[in-house]
Structure formats: C-alpha cells, structure tokens
C-alpha cells in the first residue's frame, strides 16, 4: 500500500551510501581529531566540552557505518581524547563516566569498540586523581596490571599494557591532590635510584620529580614551600651526578616558580627565573623553553600577594608588560596551540589588575582585552568573563574626577559588549559589578539614578537579579528611586527578589 511504499522509500534513502574520496575522508577525520584535542584541552572551563566530544564520536561512528571507510573508525586515540575531556571536566561524575567507558573498552562482548592501551588507563587514573580519590586510582592501576597479565598469557611477548613509571606518577599526583603528602613522598622515594638498581623494575623519571614538587606546592605553608625548593635543588644535583634524565625542564621550573612566588619578594624572584629561562632558551636550551604555564606561574606570584581588594606595590603596567612579553615570545617561538594565548592567562592578569591601586587600571584592562581580541580568529568573540574583570578594574578605580569618568566610560563599553554577547554573557556578577561602578565613579544625582533605573529594569527582564545586584542597587539608588522601584527603602521593607527577576541566576 501507499504507506508501506513510503516507508520503503525512506529506508532506501537511509541506506544510501555516502562516499568520500581518500583525501576528503582524511581531511574530515583530521578535523574531528583537532576538534577533540581542543575540547580535551578546554573541558576544565567549558561545561559543554564533554557533550560536544561525545557528539563528534557519535558522528564519527555513524559515518564509519554509512561509508564502511576504515578512515572513520574511532580508534583508541579517539577514545583517549574523550576520556581526557571527562578527566578534566568539572563534572562530579567525570571519573565515573570515564571508568564506564574503560569498562566497555575492556568488555570482550562489546565488539565495535577500540581496546584500551596504556594511555587509556592513565586518563582514567587522571580522572580519579583530579577528584581526590587515590584509592580509585590504585584500583585502576590494579585493573591495568590484571589485563596485562591476561594479555601476557595469550601473547608472552606482549608488554603494551605493562604499567610504567607514568602509572606511578599518577599515583603520586593523586596522593598530592588528596593532601596525603606522606604517601606521595614514600612512593616517589621508592622510585629513586639506589644501590639495588639491578632489581628495580621501575625508576623515577623527570615527571616524577615534577609531581612530588606539585604535591608539596599545592599544600602551601612555609615548610612545604621550602620542601619544593629542596626537591628542585636535589633534582638538579642528581642530574649533575650523571642522571641526565633528571635534567630540570620547563615543567620542573614551573613548579619551582609557583612555590618560590609565595615567598616574600616572590614576584620579583619568579620574574627573574622566567627571564633566565628565556635567555637560556635563546641560547639553544630547548628543555627550558617557557610555555603558557610558565607565565601563568609568574602571574600567580603576583596574585598570591593580593588581598581581596588591593594589590600591594604592583602597577597595572607591570602586569600588562608581562602579558606583552608573553605575546611577543609566543608570536615568534610558540607552537600553533600557543599562538592564541590561553584565555586563563588573560583572566589571571586582569584579575590582578582589577585589585591593584593604579588609577589607570581600567584603561590598561581595556587595552589588554583589545589586544586579545586582535589575536583571535575572525568571527570569534572575546570570552565574556574577561569583560567582568574590566568591570572590576573600572569599579575599583580611585583617582581624579577625569580618571573616574574614563573608568566609567570603559565600564559602559564592557556592559554594552556583554549585552550584545551571543552567549548571553551578562550575568549577576557583571550586573552587580556595573552598579558598583555607578556608585563608586558617579556623583549622586538624577543622572546616576537614571542609569541605575534603566539597567535594573534590564537586569529584571533578563532574570539575573540576585542578592549581590539588589545590595548594590540599595547602596547606589537614591531614596526617591528606591521608593519608585520598590515602594519603600530596600533596608526597611526587606525587598524580596521576585521569581521572574531571578529566573536565570546560576
């Protein structure tokens, strides 16, 4: 009948093969891989990264089924990128979901899936390490050992799944993140060379030193900072005694900078180490080439000196200078992934600028965001959070009337950018900070009331009013405006935030 014919036609359309030339297939698959690599790198700050990565995997598998072209078969490398995205995501279930994927990859009854390799287990260990579960990391290591033994029975010459020192480095990392320094130190020491080297199956590598230094650095406190410095010098001495594999490289220096930056005079010491690394790299020492994390570690030294509202002894120009040095360095020496600097570097710099006592900090913040915009590909917008830090720099500006006027104009520009954002970037934090800028930068009067009235109405329409916004409205709006908006003074009548005003508050 007509219905069956229609169904048959649809089935025929569904089964129609899609064909790609070998070049087209490789290009499409390469593009998917590049997207997965980017999502794996950004899952810690992009809540949608895991879902997007899973969507790419689904598309890849569907294309493989439709074309029967092995180019599109999701290899273990593809699954490892999915696992990496789960590992570093902020989802509480990230490790559980990663382990579930591992279980399917191990299950012999699941046919159409890649089998795990060494990197697979390391990514799942990472997922549990990031969630402060060293006992789970240990259980994954045991699973890897068991699978290796099973594999070895079937093929005695195979050692592809035999745990390496990298597996134990993940254990050191897990203990460190969980705050169990004693176990981290004990495991690390068990991997160091000693008189019984012939019977030692595994020996520490460069990353082992880095992980134990990070473990101590993450705990803070003078004694732990001293321990990081001691470990760095011990690593250097061990290298000088003939263990060339222990030569302190960029990662070790980054951990050292993070620790040394917490000392008195830390920012200056951190900068000195950075400049030493840059000079040595220019003379041919590739092992100490600064990366984005190096610059973030130096900025962290300045950030550590911050209190909640002021940066002592630091000007906005100093932070801007460090960012410009990073931009110039990576423009010449950066790999492709470094040419557009990590937005976290800019966020950190702008945050420090926001709380320094430089009357020109709003202007500097605007200039930095402008440079970052120019570095982005055409059509790519500025991350909305950067505009929040521009608002902070504006709101906390102290200076002459002209400097305050300039800061307020910059705040208006940031608000406009957030309002026009395609990502609905105007949130409660930015809304409240703009009202704070009105209070601190404008004189009391009708003009200030007019602006506050207009933006409050907009914030209500957008559903982003929370206690912070309402508190700033109370401090900024005149008594007459409060009577108009709320029918009384906010403090006296205890204004309740209407449901529709707060419907989009996160």
């Amino acid at each position: 009948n007509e219905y069956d014919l229609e169904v048959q036609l649809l089935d025929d359309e569904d089964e129609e093969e899609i064909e790609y030339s070998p070049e087209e297939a490789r290009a499409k698959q390469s593009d998917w891989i590049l997207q997965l690599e980017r999502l794996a790198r950004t899952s810690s700050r992009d809540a949608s990264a895991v879902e997007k990565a899973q969507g790419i995997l689904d598309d890849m598998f569907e294309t493989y089924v439709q074309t029967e072209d092995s180019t599109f078969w999701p290899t273990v490398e593809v699954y490892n990128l999915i696992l990496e995205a789960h590992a570093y995501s902020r989802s509480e279930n990230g490790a559980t979901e990663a382990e579930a994927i591992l279980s399917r990859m191990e299950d012999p009854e699941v046919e159409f899936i890649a089998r795990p390799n060494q990197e697979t287990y390391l990514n799942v260990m990472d997922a549990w390490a990031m969630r402060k579960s060293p006992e789970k990391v240990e259980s994954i290591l045991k699973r890897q050992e068991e699978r290796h033994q099973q594999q070895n029975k079937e093929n005695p010459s195979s050692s592809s799944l035999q745990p390496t020192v990298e597996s134990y480095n993940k254990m050191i990392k897990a203990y460190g993140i969980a705050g169990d320094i004693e176990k981290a130190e004990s495991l690390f020491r068990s991997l160091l060379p000693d008189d019984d080297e012939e019977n030692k199956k595994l020996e520490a590598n460069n990353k082992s030193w880095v992980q134990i230094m990070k473990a101590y650095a993450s705990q803070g406190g003078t004694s732990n900072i001293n321990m990081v410095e001691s470990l760095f010098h011990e690593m250097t001495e061990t290298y000088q005694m003939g263990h060339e594999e222990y030569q302190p490289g960029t990662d070790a220096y980054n951990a050292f900078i993070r620790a040394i930056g917490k000392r008195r005079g830390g920012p200056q010491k951190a900068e000195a180490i950075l400049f030493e690394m840059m000079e040595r790299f220019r003379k041919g020492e590739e092992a100490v080439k600064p990366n984005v994390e190096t610059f973030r570690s130096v900025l962290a030294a300045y950030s550590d000196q911050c209190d909640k509202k002021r940066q002592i002894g630091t000007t906005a120009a100093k932070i801007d200078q460090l960012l410009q040095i990073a931009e110039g360095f990576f423009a010449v020496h950066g790999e492709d992934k470094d040419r557009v600097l990590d937005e976290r570097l800019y966020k950190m710099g702008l945050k420090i600028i926001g709380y320094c006592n430089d009357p020109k900090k709003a202007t500097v913040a605007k200039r930095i965001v402008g440079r970052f915009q120019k570095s982005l590909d055409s059509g790519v917008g500025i991350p909305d959070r950067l505009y929040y830090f521009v608002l902070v720099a504006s709101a906390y500006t102290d200076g002459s009337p002209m400097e305050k006027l300039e800061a307020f104009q910059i705040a208006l520009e940031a608000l406009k950018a957030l309002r026009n954002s395609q990502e609905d970037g105007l949130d409660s934090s930015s809304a409240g900070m703009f009202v704070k800028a009105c209070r601190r930068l404008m004189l009391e009067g009708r003009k200030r009331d007019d602006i506050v009235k207009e933006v409050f109405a907009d914030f209500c329409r957008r559903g982003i009013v929370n206690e912070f916004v309402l508190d700033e409205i109370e401090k900024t709006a005149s008594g007459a405006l409060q009577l108009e908006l709320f029918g009384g003074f906010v403090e006296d009548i205890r204004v309740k935030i209407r449901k529709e005003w707060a419907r989009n508050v996160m």
Side-chain angles (χ1 to χ4, degrees):
N1 59 34
E2 184 176 342
Y3 174 79
D4 290 336
L5 179 60
E6 183 177 347
V7 171
Q8 182 63 47
L9 287 171
L10 287 171
D11 288 343
D12 289 344
E13 287 177 6
D14 289 342
E15 292 175 5
E16 183 179 348
E17 288 189 5
I18 301 173
E19 293 186 3
Y20 293 94
S21 69
E23 293 78 13
E24 290 173 334
R26 286 193 294 270
K28 189 173 184 65
Q29 185 72 349
S30 295
D31 182 60
W32 272 332
I33 296 295
L34 287 173
Q35 290 183 56
L36 285 174
E37 289 173 346
R38 179 182 60 78
L39 291 168
R41 288 198 305 270
T42 60
S43 65
S44 62
R45 55 189 187 277
D46 180 359
S48 65
V50 170
E51 184 179 352
K52 291 175 183 175
Q54 185 61 51
I56 291 173
L57 175 63
D58 293 342
D59 290 344
M60 198 179 291
F61 192 80
E62 183 179 347
T63 306
Y64 165 72
V65 171
Q66 290 175 338
T67 63
E68 297 184 356
D69 186 337
S70 61
T71 304
F72 297 112
W73 169 252
T75 63
V76 66
E77 286 74 20
V78 169
Y79 280 93
N80 287 344
L81 288 170
I82 301 290
L83 289 170
E84 187 178 346
H86 278 292
Y88 288 94
S89 74
R90 295 193 177 183
S91 169
E92 292 181 1
N93 299 321
T96 303
E97 292 171 1
E99 187 169 347
I101 294 172
L102 171 63
S103 296
R104 292 200 301 276
M105 295 174 75
E106 289 178 327
D107 189 347
E109 295 184 4
V110 179
E111 295 182 6
F112 294 101
I113 195 168
R115 298 306 172 194
N117 63 9
Q118 186 81 232
E119 190 67 24
T120 309
Y121 288 95
L122 292 176
N123 281 327
V124 181
M125 288 181 204
D126 242 349
W128 283 118
M130 296 299 292
R131 287 157 183 83
K132 300 182 180 181
S133 299
E135 69 286 349
K136 287 284 192 178
V137 179
E138 190 171 355
S139 73
I140 299 299
L141 177 56
K142 287 180 180 178
R143 279 173 65 166
Q144 182 182 354
E145 289 172 338
E146 290 167 2
R147 190 167 179 87
H148 163 64
Q149 290 170 3
Q150 179 186 353
Q151 186 186 67
N152 204 38
K153 286 180 182 178
E154 298 167 358
N155 182 6
S157 64
S158 175
S159 61
S160 61
L161 286 179
Q162 184 173 2
T164 67
V165 67
E166 297 300 342
S167 305
Y168 290 91
N169 288 344
K170 297 297 183 188
M171 284 299 310
I172 296 172
K173 177 180 180 177
Y175 288 134
I177 292 176
D180 195 339
I181 294 298
E182 288 186 8
K183 284 188 176 179
E185 174 80 17
S186 176
L187 178 55
F188 168 71
R189 292 292 168 189
S190 73
L191 297 172
L192 290 181
D194 55 28
D195 295 335
D196 196 26
E197 283 189 52
E198 291 184 4
N199 297 321
K200 184 168 286 193
K201 295 180 180 179
L202 294 174
E203 188 173 297
N205 62 10
N206 197 290
K207 191 171 288 186
S208 309
W209 289 90
V210 173
Q211 290 297 353
I212 191 62
M213 283 192 279
K214 285 183 174 180
Y216 276 103
S218 67
Q219 301 307 302
T222 303
S223 62
N224 289 318
I225 293 170
N226 290 342
M227 193 64 194
V228 175
E229 187 171 2
S230 175
L231 282 163
F232 183 83
H233 292 312
E234 182 183 353
M235 181 184 189
T236 303
E237 290 170 4
T238 308
Y239 159 67
Q240 291 170 345
M241 290 170 62
H243 290 272
E244 294 187 4
E245 68 276 19
Y246 293 161
Q247 179 183 8
T250 301
D251 289 343
Y253 273 96
N254 291 349
F256 184 46
I257 290 171
R258 283 273 181 171
I260 212 75
K262 297 178 186 293
R263 292 185 182 278
R264 183 183 295 275
Q268 293 73 30
K269 293 175 182 176
E271 266 192 64
I273 296 171
L274 166 66
F275 295 145
E276 177 193 340
M277 291 172 68
M278 293 175 68
E279 183 61 26
R280 288 170 59 187
F281 167 71
R282 289 192 177 103
K283 291 181 178 179
E285 292 189 54
E286 284 282 341
V288 294
K289 176 185 176 182
N291 57 20
V292 172
E293 182 59 29
T294 312
F295 285 91
R296 290 184 67 223
S297 298
V298 175
L299 286 178
Y302 283 97
S303 183
D304 286 337
Q305 306 300 315
C306 281
D307 63 18
K308 291 185 178 179
K309 292 187 177 180
R310 291 289 179 268
Q311 168 73 22
I312 299 172
T314 300
T315 65
K318 163 57 71 175
I319 304 303
D320 188 24
Q321 180 188 46
L322 283 171
L323 290 175
Q324 288 186 67
I325 290 171
E327 291 162 0
F329 181 81
F330 291 115
V332 177
H333 303 293
E335 300 174 7
D336 288 342
K337 66 184 177 63
D338 290 327
R339 290 192 186 280
V340 175
L341 291 186
D342 191 329
E343 70 187 62
R344 291 175 296 175
L345 187 69
Y346 287 90
K347 285 180 181 178
M348 184 177 287
L350 288 169
K351 182 179 179 180
I352 298 167
I353 287 171
Y355 293 120
C356 75
N357 51 8
D358 187 331
K360 294 291 186 182
K361 61 186 178 183
T363 303
V364 174
K366 175 186 174 181
R367 185 166 64 236
I368 290 170
V369 170
R371 287 204 312 273
F372 184 60
Q373 175 72 75
K374 289 180 180 178
S375 75
L376 298 174
D377 293 334
S378 177
V380 178
I382 286 284
D384 294 328
R385 196 63 180 167
L386 296 189
Y387 286 116
Y388 166 76
F389 290 117
V390 174
L391 286 170
V392 171
S394 301
Y396 284 104
T397 292
D398 290 315
S400 68
M402 285 301 297
E403 287 167 335
K404 286 189 173 184
L405 175 60
E406 184 178 5
F408 183 70
Q409 289 172 336
I410 291 170
L412 277 173
E413 292 173 11
L415 179 68
K416 181 179 179 180
L418 288 169
R419 280 173 159 175
N420 294 334
S421 169
Q422 296 179 352
E423 301 177 5
D424 296 324
L426 184 56
D427 60 11
S428 303
S429 299
S430 296
M433 194 56 65
F434 178 77
V435 180
K436 186 188 289 288
C438 292
R439 173 169 60 86
R440 300 190 82 253
L441 301 173
M442 298 184 73
L443 296 174
E444 292 182 20
R446 184 173 176 178
K447 187 173 182 180
R448 188 169 89 175
D449 270 0
D450 286 345
I451 291 177
V452 171
K453 180 181 177 180
E454 189 272 326
V455 296
F456 181 66
D458 182 46
F459 299 159
C460 290
R461 284 193 300 271
R462 293 173 181 267
I464 57 174
V465 177
N466 65 359
E467 292 294 340
F468 174 47
V469 175
L470 193 62
D471 182 55
E472 287 300 328
I473 292 290
E474 177 191 356
K475 293 175 181 177
T476 309
S478 68
L481 180 57
Q482 290 185 47
L483 285 168
E484 180 182 345
L485 294 175
F486 310 114
F489 296 109
V490 174
E491 184 178 10
D492 294 339
I493 63 175
R494 294 184 179 179
V495 173
K496 289 186 178 179
I497 298 174
R498 298 176 189 173
K499 190 174 182 179
E500 62 269 26
W501 291 358
R503 66 186 182 280
N504 292 320
V505 173
M506 302 297 288

